[in-house]
Amino acid sequence: MSSLSRDEVAHVAMLARIQLSDAELDKLAGQLDQIVGFVGQVNDIAADDIPPMSHPLPLTNVARPDEVRPSLTQQEALSGAPASDLGRFEVPRILDED
């Protein structure tokens, strides 16, 4: 498995919108390369007779039944909003389009 380059780590950090210093990029490149190597080792030993799982313990979804209950109307919900548009909350943009 090839090692991760500093540029690849910088690209991933940019996609995640994380600013990293040069020292952090150098440190993380080595650490992420180790993580990718460990994942590769797990893939190498994965056997067909072992079923894939998302959690080591069996989990049960404990959701209540979906029942209609009294709730606010759209107008009531938007009545306290500082701004609304087309029946929805209007919020200021926080991310620029790149």
Side-chain angles (χ1 to χ4, degrees), residues 7-84:
D7 290 338
E8 289 170 322
V9 174
H11 179 71
V12 170
M14 185 269 307
L15 292 174
R17 297 181 184 263
I18 299 172
Q19 286 187 319
L20 297 174
S21 68
D22 290 340
E24 290 170 322
L25 283 173
D26 292 335
K27 181 178 178 181
L28 286 174
Q31 291 176 346
L32 289 174
D33 191 49
Q34 285 182 327
I35 291 170
V36 170
F38 295 144
V39 171
Q41 288 177 358
V42 170
N43 285 336
D44 290 343
I45 60 173
D48 292 335
D49 59 337
I50 301 173
M53 59 182 149
S54 62
H55 198 276
L57 302 174
L59 298 177
T60 306
N61 189 1
V62 215
R64 68 174 188 259
D66 192 14
E67 299 172 0
V68 177
R69 300 187 323 196
S71 60
L72 298 175
T73 66
Q74 186 179 37
Q75 278 184 322
E76 291 170 331
L78 292 172
S79 66
S84 63

